[in-house]
């Protein structure tokens, strides 16, 4: 687990993105994660949240943040 990222427990469906989103703080920056192909989910489980958190951490390990801080996983 990446200790530099703090994932907030604010998972919610965004009408703007038409997907589930959540935020995290990484080195002082607020990041919004948009989960691709999640629009069909009416609610999410703890297991789903955990999977998405892992995907977010993997993305941060493999990629660099841009100025927008919106990441599609």
């Amino acid at each position: 687990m990446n200790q530099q990222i703090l994932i907030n427990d604010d998972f919610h469906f965004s009408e703007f993105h038409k997907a589930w989103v959540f935020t995290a703080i990484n080195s002082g920056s607020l990041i919004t994660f948009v989960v691709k192909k999640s629009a069909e989910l009416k609610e999410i489980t703890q297991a789903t949240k955990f999977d998405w958190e892992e995907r977010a951490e993997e993305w941060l390990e493999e990629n660099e943040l841009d100025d927008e801080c919106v990441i599609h996983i």
Side-chain angles (χ1 to χ4, degrees):
M1 179 180 275
N2 186 334
Q3 295 299 315
Q4 291 181 321
I5 183 173
L6 297 172
I7 296 177
N8 300 315
D9 191 20
D10 62 352
F11 295 82
H12 65 281
F13 187 81
S14 166
E15 286 295 329
F16 177 77
H17 291 288
K18 302 289 187 229
W20 283 83
V21 300
F22 61 97
T23 62
I25 298 172
N26 184 47
S27 300
S29 297
L30 181 65
I31 305 166
T32 300
F33 289 95
V34 179
V35 183
K36 297 178 195 173
K37 300 179 183 177
S38 64
E40 70 280 354
L41 297 174
K42 298 297 180 205
E43 53 185 65
I44 56 174
T45 65
Q46 284 300 113
T48 302
K49 290 179 183 181
F50 182 74
D51 290 342
W52 292 350
E53 289 173 359
E54 277 193 90
R55 286 170 48 189
E57 289 176 354
E58 288 171 3
W59 190 97
L60 288 170
E61 288 173 5
E62 297 171 2
N63 299 280
E64 293 290 323
L65 286 175
D66 61 12
D67 292 335
E68 192 173 330
C69 293
V70 175
I71 300 168
H72 297 262
I73 57 171

